[in-house]
Amino acid sequence: MTLYKAACMPGDGIGPEIIAEGRKVLDAAGEKFGFDIEWTDYDTGAEKYLKTGELITEDELKELSGYPAIYFGAIGDERVKPGILEKGILLSMRFYFDEYVNLRPVKLLKGVETPLANKKPEDIDFVVVRENTEDFYVGIGSRAKAGKQRDELSVMRELYSVKFGVDVETDADELAYQIGVLSRQGSKRVMDYAFSLAESRDKKVTSVDKANVLTDVYGLWREVFEETKKSYPDVATEYNFVDAVTMWFVKNPEWFDVLVTPNMFGDIITDLGAMIQGGLGLAPGGNINPKGTSMFEPIHGSAPKYRGKNVANPLATIWAGSLLLDTLGEKEAANAVVSSIEHSIEKKAVTRDMGGSMRTSDIGEWISKDILNG
Ligand code: IPM
Ligand code: MN
């Protein structure tokens, strides 16, 4: 029996309820396919922050880097100012563990309704590979009032560090600026991941950018894409501007196989991707460092108004659990989890948001039984 150690961080709002269902399913998958996951729980989140002022400590991050995987629920709480938990916990982990791939499958499962007219499961089946450590997410910028000031801004990473000294002189009443950073290495590694993934799928990679306006950052992105594609002669390539890609997601999603995109565009287009695959309740994500600690989460938030009501849809979290198993190398178990999610949908064993009458806590049980009987 293989034993894996993994961390579990349920977080805020509906996080604990949906993660509990995911855990049931992963444990059942282990029972069926002959492995065991030993979970260590972390109470990171709003509650702890409000009590102690602590988000996530250096010691916790060090400890967590000993695990191949973290199963993450959601963060966000109406008592905490927007941005504090997101930056202090979620983005901290993405950057600390250098999880440079944000993997977001957009796949219409059998039995799920899409808002797109006349599109079927075979038409909506692609993967967005979102760069996850750079771009405007590096979080450096400042505000300035009329006059002069000097700002020292820096980004410190394992891959590289960079400092900007910015002299601001303005007669505007007030302004703000934000610096986005893309590096050659940072772009190259995520593109290599996307191309390798495409080699195991339909052999097409679409690069998404806005190189017609943001010519420096996305000009570098394109240059690296041109170079990278030479190593993958069997993979077809194309460029889409981000505005156009939102149109094609709606009109012709069947064109896509793997898309690779800088961080912020990836954030935006994957919410659209979530909608066309049936809504945020069905959209999983993996924050992946292929050689380190990866983190798996539903892409939706903590939905505080549904906290403790046992109504939240845990399918995105359970699907994220399948991505976790895939990363551990348990491919067969990972596929079985997705098949059983599909069965639950076909049998209408789903929560109210999907037209069923089941409670959150019934879903993990149903899917676990289906895996064990499958
Ligand atoms: C996501 C979320 C995060 C992001 C937020 C919560 C920081 O929207 O995972 O898509 O912007 O990446
Ligand atoms: Mn998002």
Side-chain angles (χ1 to χ4, degrees), residues 86 90-91 94 102 104 130 137 267 270-271 297 299:
E86 290 84 346
L90 183 61
L91 296 181
R94 285 180 183 170
N102 195 326
R104 299 192 159 178
R130 165 185 173 192
Y137 276 70
D267 177 46
T270 52
D271 270 22
E297 54 172 343
I299 85 167

